[in-house]
Amino acid sequence: MSSSSDPDGTRSSQPLAADASALLEPGSVQAQFAAPDGALVMLRWCEAAVAVRFEELKPVAAFKAVPGRRWGPGWWWSATTGGHVVVGSKAMRSQLMILDRDPRVAGLAGRPVRLIWREPGSRRVRSWVPQLFARYVDGAALLADCPSRIGAGGERAAQAAAVMAEVCAQVGFVYRRLAPVDEVLAVNLVWLAGYRHPRNAGGPLLVQALQEAFVEPLPLLEGAARVGDALTVLPSVFHALWSGRLAADLSAPLHERVTVWAVAG
């Protein structure tokens, strides 16, 4: 296995598989997606990547609900877009949270496209539906899968990842199998996400007061108390931690004494 942190900030865990993408020619891959009326549309991938706003599309395929599993498919309200993104697993939700609070991300969608190709050699038809799509403010695009553990999906997923990486590179996109999010970080993000709605930001004066209170690193509760009644101010502190105006070490459990500081700019 290889694990890396990429220039765009996403962490990836890419299984090193046999080159299942060998001999795939540009233009030979098809993209299938849902039109606004729900009809399925097929277009050459190299054309769709330029013409289609995948971040605006509904899922091309639903996530399956597995009987007996405690966590099933649902929807995530995105603070980035103000809309909902379909979610298929806890692992995917964790990745969505990371992308949703990234200021470089402008759009998000769940399962918006199915890629179809013929396997080199055997010519068998193969397809894959990446779980996540993210559009960045600079126009860059990310297709990603969100395994719950490294190696999940076995050889089929590894081979599909090799194909996805190649066909995305051909059109200037990036594909990643995102490394599972650390459990403590995921728990912290779930907590902060409860305050992600803009209504928790507070007015301009409160936002400025928080920046001034935490200009020097302080314990969370102490800084909140400097601004006003702590219980009243805390929702705005948590929103600022979500949105990045304030920062803390989210790799450790959040608590009232955790050190918080203001982020410049």
Side-chain angles (χ1 to χ4, degrees):
M1 298 289 178
S2 67
S3 181
S4 64
S5 179
D6 299 299
D8 61 7
T10 58
R11 294 179 305 139
S12 65
S13 178
Q14 294 282 62
L16 299 177
D19 189 5
S21 61
L23 305 180
L24 275 179
E25 298 178 359
S28 66
V29 179
Q30 300 291 311
Q32 185 182 58
F33 53 92
D37 62 0
L40 292 179
V41 178
M42 190 88 78
L43 194 64
R44 289 200 308 166
W45 170 235
C46 58
E47 298 172 358
V50 175
V52 179
R53 303 295 296 180
F54 292 110
E55 65 270 33
E56 299 174 0
L57 298 185
K58 296 178 180 179
V60 71
F63 287 103
K64 293 181 179 180
V66 180
R69 184 173 293 176
R70 294 180 61 187
W71 211 98
W75 294 90
W76 172 264
W77 182 81
S78 168
T80 298
T81 68
H84 287 86
V85 180
V86 66
V87 182
S89 66
K90 288 180 67 175
M92 182 179 173
R93 182 186 64 176
S94 295
Q95 302 294 353
L96 255 178
M97 288 189 292
I98 289 173
L99 290 167
D100 201 17
R101 65 192 296 264
D102 187 336
R104 300 169 300 169
V105 173
L108 292 165
R111 307 197 89 187
V113 61
R114 173 184 285 110
L115 297 179
I116 305 168
W117 68 95
R118 287 190 179 275
E119 190 177 70
S122 71
R123 306 300 294 167
R124 287 180 297 181
V125 175
R126 300 293 191 188
S127 68
W128 192 260
V129 184
Q131 292 176 299
L132 260 178
F133 176 84
R135 180 80 67 182
Y136 290 82
V137 293
D138 63 0
L142 169 74
L143 277 171
D145 283 306
C146 312
S148 59
R149 56 181 174 79
I150 294 176
E155 185 64 19
R156 180 172 179 268
Q159 291 182 350
V163 173
M164 294 299 99
E166 178 176 317
V167 300
C168 283
Q170 288 174 357
V171 297
F173 284 21
V174 172
Y175 170 79
R176 296 285 181 258
R177 270 177 67 86
L178 299 173
V181 177
D182 174 77
E183 185 176 349
V184 172
L185 173 59
V187 169
N188 287 339
L189 291 178
V190 168
W191 177 264
L192 295 180
Y195 300 89
R196 68 189 182 279
H197 196 282
R199 64 172 172 261
N200 292 302
L205 292 180
L206 178 54
V207 170
Q208 182 61 33
L210 286 175
Q211 292 296 112
E212 293 173 355
F214 288 102
V215 68
E216 296 293 337
L218 282 176
L220 184 151
L221 197 59
E222 181 180 332
R226 288 192 180 188
V227 175
D229 176 70
L231 292 181
T232 302
V233 173
L234 279 175
S236 297
V237 174
F238 293 138
H239 178 82
L241 284 167
W242 168 268
S243 62
R245 290 195 300 272
L246 297 179
D249 179 8
L250 297 182
S251 66
L254 279 174
H255 53 82
E256 64 182 20
R257 299 296 299 170
V258 70
T259 301
V260 175
W261 61 91
V263 176

